[in-house]
Amino acid sequence: MPDRHTLAETEKAMSAHVSDLPLNFPAAAAVSSLYRAANAVRVHLTNSVLRQHGLTWTGFVVLWVVWIWDGLETRRAAENAAISKATLTGVVKTLEARGLITRRVSETDRRLVHLELTPDGLSLMKELYPIFNAAEAEVVAGLSPRSVAQLTNSLRSIVTELETKSTAAMSEEAS
Amino acid sequence: MPDRHTLAETEKAMSAHVSDLPLNFPAAAAVSSLYRAANAVRVHLTNSVLRQHGLTWTGFVVLWVVWIWDGLETRRAAENAAISKATLTGVVKTLEARGLITRRVSETDRRLVHLELTPDGLSLMKELYPIFNAAEAEVVAGLSPRSVAQLTNSLRSIVTELETKSTAAMSEEAS
DNA sequence: GGCCTGTCGTTTGGGCCCGAACAATATCGT
DNA sequence: ACGATATTGTTCGGGCCCAAACGACAGGCC
């Protein structure tokens, strides 16, 4: 076990610098934990499941949304994968080169590009997703089912809150 | 409001593909929410606070840990910021070029590099962190204090669980 | 028809991200 | 003393990440 700084030590060092300021410590702890947990989960699932199949986390997420929706347009794939259109272009290029996904320009609206899994991509997801899900289950295995449900609810509440803020800022911009 | 896929629609599309498989849906929902929330928070805090100061999320995190610990060695900075040593090298190079941080090779062990804030870096953090923390508070404003505490606990539990797994895998490797 | 406005996916440029390989340095065993 | 072993920060290569600028295209409005 590396002698890294413990949580308690970090909080002590922190309070030595900012204890005289009117800060919201629980909020800081929540955001910090959120970042670290998401990172740890991404690293763990990548190393334990995805890497041996030559997939990155983002690549897998893109394959997953295209699979679940039986193919969709680029803009919706980016929304569902929570990445920008620019990023998606690069990721799709990688997946296309691996023969897992195909791009097809729409006949009715030539601006749109429709994404779909190849047979190889489809069989990969059918094989891989149950394994991936089992690893996801392990990640939350230490929590009670009730805690997992509460966790999911709180996280979704945060996402909703921020999406509201974001669209509010956009309409303010437009006025 | 863009007509993106709702949560309920996604779950419906998902069950159409995998309802016959023995999957752990609550675990999948938790991991997915975790990823999306962390992403949304990072984007929000970057755009609303960090960008106008020319800082990235990771750059800010590195500055923060160096600040809180009154300077530390590269390997500890990477641990505390939850990024790899390789990534830290690049981030520090950026921060050094902006005049916010300094690198100093240790006298007693010439392998070690000590990181410290410059006066500019110090005054930036003193000005910026209260603003950043206020934005963090907004992020969890929709949750009750009790929910925030539970959220933090659950997330820390996940991190601890994964760190245990990771060190267990390493000692297995070594044997 | 001919603009005008908005939307689509891509490109560009700069930065983060990591694993693996590496050179420099320290430490341990003998 | 001195080779074997371990640790540190860096480099390298490939991939992800995004904002901004861009060209292609669709639809509305005169």
Side-chain angles (χ1 to χ4, degrees):
Chain A
M1 185 69 104
D3 61 340
R4 53 156 52 93
H5 295 132
T6 67
L7 220 40
E9 285 169 348
T10 302
E11 283 174 357
K12 186 178 164 195
M14 182 178 167
S15 73
H17 284 76
V18 295
S19 64
D20 53 335
L21 266 41
L23 297 177
N24 186 330
F25 289 95
V31 169
S32 166
S33 301
L34 175 56
Y35 173 61
R36 298 187 77 93
N39 208 48
V41 168
R42 182 180 55 76
V43 169
H44 176 68
L45 294 181
T46 299
N47 289 341
S48 68
V49 178
L50 266 26
R51 182 179 304 283
Q52 57 200 293
H53 293 272
L55 287 178
T56 62
W57 171 269
T58 305
F60 176 77
V61 170
V62 169
L63 283 181
W64 189 84
V65 303
V66 174
W67 178 41
I68 287 302
W69 288 101
D70 290 320
L72 28 53
E73 289 133 29
T74 293
R75 70 188 192 285
R76 299 222 184 282
E79 277 171 14
N80 280 276
I83 59 179
S84 70
K85 295 183 302 171
T87 299
L88 185 69
T89 296
V91 174
V92 167
K93 197 173 294 180
T94 301
L95 295 173
E96 201 180 9
R98 301 186 78 91
L100 299 174
I101 214 171
T102 56
R103 296 168 64 262
R104 182 171 51 75
V105 175
S106 164
E107 298 288 336
T108 57
D109 186 338
R110 302 188 58 78
R111 292 171 305 180
L112 272 47
V113 173
H114 191 81
L115 303 176
E116 214 160 300
L117 294 193
T118 63
D120 276 4
L122 188 59
S123 65
L124 176 61
M125 288 310 289
K126 281 182 177 169
E127 175 200 348
L128 196 51
Y129 185 60
I131 301 174
F132 184 85
N133 179 251
E136 286 179 313
E138 267 184 56
V139 165
V140 295
L143 271 45
S144 69
R146 185 173 163 70
S147 290
V148 173
Q150 284 177 347
L151 174 64
T152 302
N153 275 341
S154 293
L155 293 172
R156 284 182 177 170
S157 159
I158 289 175
V159 172
T160 303
E161 173 82 6
L162 291 181
E163 279 176 356
T164 305
K165 260 195 228 310
S166 158
T167 54
M170 286 198 314
S171 23
E172 196 166 327
E173 187 111 1
S175 68
Chain B
M1 186 69 104
D3 60 340
R4 51 156 52 93
H5 294 132
T6 67
L7 221 40
E9 286 169 347
T10 302
E11 284 174 355
K12 186 180 165 195
M14 183 178 167
S15 72
H17 285 76
V18 295
S19 63
D20 53 336
L21 267 42
L23 297 176
N24 187 330
F25 288 95
V31 169
S32 165
S33 301
L34 175 56
Y35 173 62
R36 299 187 75 93
N39 208 47
V41 168
R42 183 181 55 76
V43 168
H44 176 69
L45 294 180
T46 299
N47 288 341
S48 68
V49 177
L50 267 27
R51 181 179 305 283
Q52 56 200 292
H53 293 271
L55 287 177
T56 63
W57 172 269
T58 305
F60 176 76
V61 170
V62 169
L63 283 180
W64 189 83
V65 303
V66 174
W67 178 42
I68 287 303
W69 288 101
D70 288 320
L72 28 56
E73 290 133 28
T74 294
R75 70 188 192 285
R76 299 222 184 283
E79 277 171 15
N80 281 276
I83 59 179
S84 70
K85 294 182 304 173
T87 299
L88 185 68
T89 296
V91 174
V92 167
K93 196 173 295 181
T94 301
L95 295 173
E96 201 179 9
R98 302 185 79 90
L100 299 174
I101 214 171
T102 56
R103 296 168 63 262
R104 183 170 50 76
V105 175
S106 163
E107 298 289 336
T108 58
D109 186 338
R110 302 187 57 76
R111 293 171 302 180
L112 272 46
V113 173
H114 191 80
L115 302 177
E116 214 161 300
L117 294 193
T118 63
D120 275 3
L122 187 60
S123 65
L124 176 61
M125 288 309 288
K126 282 182 177 170
E127 175 200 347
L128 196 51
Y129 185 60
I131 302 174
F132 184 85
N133 180 252
E136 286 179 313
E138 267 184 57
V139 165
V140 295
L143 271 48
S144 70
R146 183 171 164 72
S147 290
V148 173
Q150 284 178 346
L151 173 66
T152 302
N153 275 341
S154 293
L155 292 172
R156 283 182 178 170
S157 160
I158 289 175
V159 172
T160 304
E161 172 83 5
L162 292 181
E163 278 176 358
T164 306
K165 260 195 228 309
S166 159
T167 55
M170 286 198 316
S171 25
E172 195 166 326
E173 186 111 1
S175 71

